[in-house]
Amino acid sequence: MKTINILLSGVGGQGVILASKILSEAALLQGLDIKQSEVHGMSQRGGSVVSHVRIGDVVHSPLVPEGQCDLLAGFEPLEALRFAHQVKPEGFLVYSTDRINPSTVSAGLAEYPADLEARLGAFPCTKTAVPAGELAERAGNRRAANVVLVGALADRLGFPDEVWQRALEASVPAKVLRLNQEAFRLGREAGG
Amino acid sequence: MTKEILSGNEAIARGAWEAGVTYAAAYPGTPSTEILESLGKDYRDIYSQWSPNEKVALETAVGASLAGARALACMKHVGVNVAADPLFTAIYTGVNGGLVLVTADDPNLHSSQNEQDNRNYAKFAKLPLIEPSDSQEAKDFLKAAFDLSEQFDTPVLFRTTTRVNHSKSVVELGERVERPKPQGIARDTKKYTMLPGFARPKHPKIEERLQRIKEYGVESPLNRVEMGDTRVGIVTSGISYQYAKEALPGASFLKLGLTYPLPEALVRDFAQHVDQVIVVEELDPFLEEQIRLLGIEVAHGKDLFPIVGELEPSVVAQELTGAAANMLAAAEGLPIRPPVLCPGCSHRGVFTVLRKLKVFVSGDIGCYTLGALPPLEAMHACLCMGGSIPMAHGISKVVADSGDLKDRVVAVIGDSTFFHSGVTGLIDLIWNGGTSVVIIQDNRITGMTGGQENPGTGHTLSGGESPQIDMERLVLALGVKPANVRVVSAYDLKEVEAVLREELGKPEPSVVITKDPCVLQYKVKKPALTVDPEVCTACKQCLRVGCIALSLEGEGDAAHAVIDPNFCVGCTVCAQVCKFDAIGAPKGAA
């Protein structure tokens, strides 16, 4: 199969890494090759984070080449816009509508883009907005918004449901498995 | 065969376990930290420890190796600078059990103070260099590194980069090969004692050893030739191989895993079988220069691929194939989202006061280095681990004291960095009649790298109990006068300011210690504060403390600050800078 390039962009602390793990585990269960890369360290501290997940028969580079992203999950609207140009015209972008002000905005040094939705709309790929925090809350915990977004990507990968269930089991602690299964299901519905 | 998805760092830990390593030591540093974290958590049959710094970590590993154990030391690239002294002479002593030093370089400075290519250390220190290009190789090559170390009686440098350390890929796991336990320590003074008379005869042996390893590299499976289209022959190593292979999968490759000493005969043979040699490597022209020195023509190298920063797959593809990436324009003018001090961080109050005092702040390496960024902007220098105090001393010695606070210097350093190498700077300052004020922000954790134990936390890497260094007694013992050792709460801005003003007025060394724990690692959370919109004048003073829980809402006269209860941990620093008492506990709260 052709390599699928996925980017997950968000803010340090949102669970981008766990979301990447679920995607990677699912691909491993499908018998595919995986490379996943993110940078942690300083960026943990509330900065922008982006994780690259590449899935295919043989994957060499752990980084998605510029402009070659098939699926982008934006964990925050501004972070979706920051990476929207990486998505191919035939690609898919799902993003959480929950805003988190960057420190530069909080401190009054910059403004959060007012026309964000319109600017996202100008990119040619297919786009879906998801109230990830609200759906996660409905599943039992707002912090599961990351799993909602994985659910929203799931159908684009064409893996059987059983694979996703096993990937969730392999990635989240047993005591919060039910909650995350529900978050995944709600995300999958919302992803369209 | 069991397959798992492992990061490069987890794979190195696994490789150490499979190789029968019984001793590992490190000081945390991005991107190397997770190697020892994984050993401490997943492979408890290996003795592993955090050391106070990289020099100590390597020295302990040299000791373990001389006693016959396979020993591993891990650090980030700048950590090797700290450990360079033992490294350059461990080449002379050689090993008994295999000794491998992992250097995790950080091209693009994702989380570092400089960008250095530590492959150069191999040439400088005269030791073999191994470079893996993914997690499978990280594990397998580490095992090979231990074999090489023992076969040639030399430490081995194992060099990774952020994209190898922090990338995950599928790894086929192997089993551990146990090795005989060391029985006693042999007396071999000539081998272990580097007096001139014992060291001098070793140097020619080191040169001869490098020649033998050069031969070894020709046949070693660490290096491999992948012949394809012979019009282009790519010589590459590490992560660069992955980018080049993806760009030109059909070309011929000389993929080097053992990159120093360069396997000369192998390179010559490869060059003869291809029309042109292209060297693809990140940072310095380390391979390219060696290949050119052999008299082999290199068609392209650093003329195409930048010497600065990380290689990007699209740039590599464009240079190798000539096909430009089809790119959309990025959204412009977006607000940046830099890393910030956490809401409630104990460093924030101290920097708020330092900004007000307008003193020169000589900083150090840790989360608190973020105090240099807007809106705090209360750090004016930061060089290296432990550099804050000596630099403050040097500045103070030459800047005439005008009596104005702007000519006074305050050093700011965290607990882990102080134990790492700050303490010697303080000894210097006290010994030589320094007058700077030193603030030790003791939050009882190594914070920036994700929360590791240090000699002040009372625990070791494996979770065992240990004595906690008593910071006050330590600085008293170094010779700071008892009246000049002050312990303050980082959350009491008035107290911090009063104490700093007092200590800055003294013509002798002072140490101000904060003891408030890291809110992130110790999960400190008090009820969130609220802003009374009727009282708030939107003067933005609170926003200047740089906390992401705070922002401004509303327009014109209706504008006022708001606090996001999901982020606020109730530290009260913003409430203390508010001149209108608009910020406080939510109504109805105690």
Side-chain angles (χ1 to χ4, degrees), chain B residues 33-214:
Chain B
T33 312
E34 299 82 6
I35 302 169
L36 265 277
E37 284 191 327
S38 174
L39 284 172
K41 188 164 60 76
D42 306 324
Y43 305 100
R44 303 293 288 246
D45 41 352
I46 298 179
Y47 173 83
S48 15
Q49 66 164 48
W50 293 126
S51 291
N53 68 36
E54 294 87 351
K55 177 176 183 287
V56 173
L58 178 58
E59 287 158 344
T60 67
V62 171
S65 159
L66 295 189
R70 284 194 160 183
L72 178 72
C74 307
M75 52 202 64
K76 71 180 293 172
H77 61 298
V78 284
V80 181
N81 303 341
V82 177
D85 198 5
L87 176 65
F88 277 66
T89 306
I91 308 302
Y92 282 64
T93 60
V95 305
N96 278 331
L99 175 62
V100 176
L101 168 59
V102 175
T103 169
D105 293 8
D106 189 19
N108 214 33
L109 304 92
H110 293 286
S111 197
S112 299
Q113 64 268 42
N114 77 4
E115 189 172 55
Q116 64 183 48
D117 187 335
N118 275 11
R119 294 181 300 171
N120 293 299
Y121 267 113
K123 188 161 180 266
F124 192 7
K126 301 178 187 291
L127 77 169
L129 170 67
I130 292 180
E131 294 183 74
S133 72
D134 63 13
S135 297
Q136 183 73 53
E137 287 187 354
K139 179 180 80 76
D140 296 342
F141 284 14
L142 189 77
K143 291 158 75 175
F146 278 101
D147 293 340
L148 179 74
S149 171
E150 285 166 4
Q151 185 178 341
F152 291 95
D153 187 17
T154 175
V156 172
L157 188 62
F158 195 81
R159 190 257 192 175
T160 57
T161 55
T162 302
R163 296 297 178 184
V164 171
N165 298 96
H166 283 177
S167 291
K168 293 181 177 163
S169 54
V170 183
V171 177
E172 278 186 17
L173 305 182
E175 285 308 312
R176 178 168 171 90
V177 179
E178 290 292 349
R179 300 173 46 77
K181 271 208 155 93
Q183 302 295 327
I185 170 85
R187 279 14 173 213
D188 192 348
T189 308
K190 279 191 176 174
K191 179 169 169 61
Y192 304 151
T193 312
M194 288 308 105
L195 286 163
F198 296 160
R200 201 172 288 119
K202 296 222 171 178
H203 190 176
K205 288 186 177 163
I206 291 165
E207 299 298 336
E208 180 262 335
R209 179 169 77 203
L210 282 174
Q211 293 305 313
R212 283 189 291 125
I213 300 173
K214 193 185 274 187

Side-chain angles (χ1 to χ4, degrees), chain A residues 156-174:
Chain A
R156 310 275 161 175
L157 287 158
F159 301 164
D161 191 55
E162 186 212 328
V163 160
W164 289 111
Q165 294 310 322
R166 285 174 60 198
L168 281 170
E169 282 164 29
S171 306
V172 306

Side-chain angles (χ1 to χ4, degrees), chain B residues 505-539:
Chain B
K506 295 177 181 173
E508 47 200 16
S510 293
V511 176
V512 178
I513 301 168
T514 67
K515 286 188 172 179
D516 308 274
C518 170
V519 289
L520 183 67
Q521 298 302 332
Y522 293 100
K523 302 190 168 37
V524 179
K525 174 125 173 100
K526 291 184 218 160
L529 304 182
T530 56
V531 181
D532 185 339
E534 302 299 318
V535 182
C536 177
T537 64
C539 73

Side-chain angles (χ1 to χ4, degrees), chain B residues 398-414:
Chain B
V398 298
V399 172
D401 186 2
S402 62
D404 191 326
L405 280 183
K406 77 172 175 44
D407 294 327
R408 293 302 309 274
V409 185
V410 172
V412 172
I413 187 167

Side-chain angles (χ1 to χ4, degrees), chain A residues 24 35-38 40 42 45 47-48 54 60-63 66-67 76 79 82 100 103-104 106 119, chain B residues 5 30 34 111 163 166-168 242-243 245-246 314 327 329 332 335-337 339-340 447 520 543 550:
Chain A
S24 304
K35 288 256 168 92
Q36 187 262 322
S37 183
E38 83 268 332
H40 33 102
M42 270 203 145
R45 306 278 172 262
S48 298
R54 309 190 70 212
H60 288 291
S61 160
L63 297 177
E66 297 262 310
E76 198 278 343
E79 298 312 314
R82 206 186 297 284
I100 300 174
S103 60
T104 44
S106 303
R119 292 179 70 181
Chain B
I5 301 171
T30 311
E34 299 82 6
S111 197
R163 296 297 178 184
H166 283 177
S167 291
K168 293 181 177 163
Q242 304 291 358
Y243 302 150
K245 186 75 181 176
E246 181 154 316
S314 53
M327 280 294 295
E332 285 180 12
I336 57 164
R337 194 186 295 272
V340 284
L520 183 67
L543 301 186
L550 283 154

